[in-house]
Amino acid sequence: MVRYIVKRAAAALITIWFIMTLTFLLMNAIPGSPISTDKVYDVTLQQALEEKYGLNKPWHERYIKYLVDYAHGDFGMSYLKVGLSTNEIIAAGFPYSLRIGIFSSILIVSFGVMAGILAALRQNKMIDRLLMVLSTLGSTIPSFVFATLYLFVFSKILGLVPAFGVGHWKGYIGPVLVTSVFSMAFVTRLMRTSMIEELNQDYIRTARAKGISEFKVVTKHAMRNAVLPVITYIGPMVAMVVTGSFVIEKVFGIPGIGSLFTSSVLSRDYTLIMGITVFFAVFLVFCTLVVDILYVFVDPRIKYD
């Protein structure tokens, strides 16, 4: 197990380095500069700012400094948000995305797994068909449509929730529900398919023939093996919902990390773009590593050499 974790950690570091390098190269390949003449009208001031931020240095010198700073956890100063570092900006926005992501992940896993099991146990019955229709709608309709519909009904017509921001706890209901829709639908269908496959296995028939109760057959035997594909999906899913949805945070007016990334791209704030990208990559790789390690606890048949 220790050897496997070390190997996976080394692979994770290589992945993060590759993402950092690719992000740096892409940012430097974009024509223009974050401190361009259309934003800074004085050429002398522009040159002074480029000197201050090291933008006039050769790319290889900036790349080395970029790697060294990131290795120390320093994402640099924002080019356009005067006096604020990228670390401070991410620290200010991430708590909003984290709250939404945690509640969404709990809702996705709990409802998706239970709905998938229920659909599998009632295969081709009314409840199964209803859940499949709902999951199909959830996985095909864009999230901004659900967000707009939610705001129109519950904010404009009924007046039950705020239309903008998360100053009140009610402001989190919409973002959590809308963020959860797609992944919840996917987990439901995935769990249903996996559960049906497990229920048709020989060891399930043997367990039933031995007189084991249906509850134990489903929970102790079938569900434990059927949930493995769901666990595989949970890793990147948690990283996705925790780091924020770009569209959803814009629609609901949430100053989370997704909204920050969108604004940084539009304003060409290179340090903020690279900082958020690397932050997301590290979080995603970490979640994936945790899921890989969980496999051995969920399924004792899996061994790591």
Side-chain angles (χ1 to χ4, degrees):
M1 172 65 78
V2 175
R3 183 181 177 184
Y4 171 78
I5 294 176
V6 172
K7 290 172 64 177
R8 289 291 291 111
L13 291 176
I14 295 174
T15 303
I16 293 171
W17 168 81
F18 179 79
I19 294 174
M20 291 173 60
T21 302
L22 183 61
T23 304
F24 177 85
L25 295 176
L26 290 176
M27 288 298 99
N28 284 270
I30 297 176
S33 168
I35 309 174
S36 56
T37 52
D38 61 339
K39 299 175 183 177
V40 181
Y41 299 100
D42 190 339
V43 178
T44 305
L45 178 59
Q46 179 186 358
Q47 293 175 349
L49 290 173
E50 289 179 349
E51 176 70 26
K52 176 182 177 181
Y53 291 110
L55 296 174
N56 58 345
K57 294 181 179 180
W59 72 269
H60 60 275
E61 293 185 15
R62 288 185 282 116
Y63 175 68
I64 294 174
K65 184 178 185 302
Y66 163 74
L67 292 180
V68 173
D69 290 344
Y70 273 49
H72 290 86
D74 182 8
F75 291 165
M77 300 295 295
S78 172
Y79 291 152
L80 302 179
K81 297 181 183 295
V82 181
L84 291 176
S85 67
T86 301
N87 298 62
E88 293 172 334
I89 297 172
I90 294 176
F94 184 61
Y96 296 101
S97 299
L98 181 62
R99 294 188 195 101
I100 295 172
I102 290 175
F103 291 127
S104 298
S105 299
I106 295 173
L107 181 62
I108 291 167
V109 174
S110 57
F111 182 85
V113 170
M114 296 308 298
I117 294 174
L118 180 60
L121 294 177
R122 297 292 183 268
Q123 186 180 4
N124 297 325
K125 301 293 180 58
M126 181 61 70
I127 185 64
D128 178 32
R129 297 181 187 278
L130 177 61
L131 289 172
M132 288 303 98
V133 170
L134 293 176
S135 63
T136 301
L137 292 175
S139 59
T140 54
I141 299 178
S143 59
F144 68 86
V145 175
F146 284 115
T148 305
L149 181 63
Y150 173 86
L151 290 174
F152 179 75
V153 174
F154 293 98
S155 180
K156 181 177 177 59
I157 296 180
L158 300 178
L160 298 176
V161 296
F164 188 87
V166 285
H168 192 272
W169 67 268
K170 292 181 179 179
Y172 283 98
I173 298 176
V176 168
L177 291 177
V178 175
T179 301
S180 305
V181 169
F182 176 81
S183 296
M184 194 186 305
F186 185 85
V187 169
T188 299
R189 299 180 72 90
L190 183 62
M191 188 66 192
R192 175 186 180 273
T193 303
S194 181
M195 193 70 179
I196 291 175
E197 182 179 351
E198 290 299 326
L199 289 173
N200 291 324
Q201 296 294 323
D202 292 337
Y203 74 92
I204 295 295
R205 287 191 286 268
T206 302
R208 286 169 173 166
K210 290 181 178 179
I212 299 176
S213 65
E214 187 66 15
F215 178 79
K216 287 186 177 181
V217 169
V218 172
T219 57
K220 187 177 180 180
H221 298 282
M223 189 178 72
R224 185 170 184 177
N225 293 326
V227 80
L228 289 176
V230 176
I231 293 177
T232 303
Y233 175 72
I234 287 176
M237 180 273 294
V238 170
M240 179 183 67
V241 297
V242 168
T243 49
S245 171
F246 306 155
V247 176
I248 292 173
E249 290 187 359
K250 277 294 183 183
V251 172
F252 286 97
I254 302 171
I257 196 170
S259 179
L260 287 173
F261 186 79
T262 304
S263 61
S264 67
V265 172
L266 295 175
S267 60
R268 297 172 68 179
D269 193 341
Y270 290 177
T271 52
L272 190 55
I273 294 172
M274 292 188 291
I276 294 177
T277 302
V278 173
F279 178 82
F280 175 79
V282 171
F283 198 88
L284 176 60
V285 170
F286 174 77
C287 290
T288 304
L289 178 61
V290 171
V291 167
D292 288 343
I293 296 174
L294 285 177
Y295 261 110
V296 75
F297 297 102
V298 176
D299 190 351
R301 296 172 301 175
I302 299 175
K303 300 297 181 181
Y304 295 124
D305 294 327

